[in-house]
Amino acid sequence: VDTFGGAFPELEEKRQDILDIVAEEEKAFATLLTRGIKFFDELSSELKAEGKSEVTGEKAFFLYDTLGFPVDLTEQMAEEAGLTVDVIGFTDEMEEQ
């Protein structure tokens, strides 16, 4: 609003609506991240306990499709945890949907 308000006066007129929507979206994304991270942490622990090192495409797809967790974030967290993600399996799940 501050950046483009001069060029688009309607932004100033709707300032509070815009701020409310952004705050709501930030809260929703924070909730999504919390749920996704919790699921991933539990999954990571299970995989390591089973001696496995790959997040299946099915689990990566569940994180993405059901929890709204971005697959690139799943890949990053997997790498940090010493795991890999079955990206081909994830892509197959996406195509089946």
Side-chain angles (χ1 to χ4, degrees), residues 50-71:
E50 296 170 359
K52 297 179 180 175
S53 62
E54 183 175 68
V55 176
T56 65
E58 182 180 355
K59 294 293 185 183
F61 182 73
F62 174 83
L63 276 159
Y64 173 79
D65 188 55
T66 304
L67 301 179
F69 204 70
V71 71

Side-chain angles (χ1 to χ4, degrees), residues 13 21 32 40 43 45 57 60-61 77 81 91:
E13 295 167 10
I21 291 168
L32 170 150
F40 182 86
L43 176 62
S45 295
F61 182 73
M77 290 179 65
T91 303

Side-chain angles (χ1 to χ4, degrees), residues 13-90:
E13 295 167 10
K14 299 287 186 179
R15 175 183 282 276
Q16 193 56 53
D17 290 340
I18 293 167
L19 294 176
D20 291 345
I21 291 168
V22 169
E24 187 177 312
E25 290 296 323
E26 287 176 341
K27 183 178 178 183
F29 189 69
T31 299
L32 170 150
L33 284 178
T34 299
R35 288 181 184 157
I37 290 168
K38 181 180 182 211
F39 181 86
F40 182 86
D41 287 345
E42 292 170 1
L43 176 62
S44 176
S45 295
E46 288 174 22
L47 290 172
K48 289 178 180 180
E50 296 170 359
K52 297 179 180 175
S53 62
E54 183 175 68
V55 176
T56 65
E58 182 180 355
K59 294 293 185 183
F61 182 73
F62 174 83
L63 276 159
Y64 173 79
D65 188 55
T66 304
L67 301 179
F69 204 70
V71 71
D72 58 328
L73 189 51
T74 300
E75 290 177 292
Q76 181 179 348
M77 290 179 65
E79 183 180 338
E80 291 171 1
L83 302 169
T84 59
V85 176
D86 176 12
V87 178
I88 293 172
F90 172 80

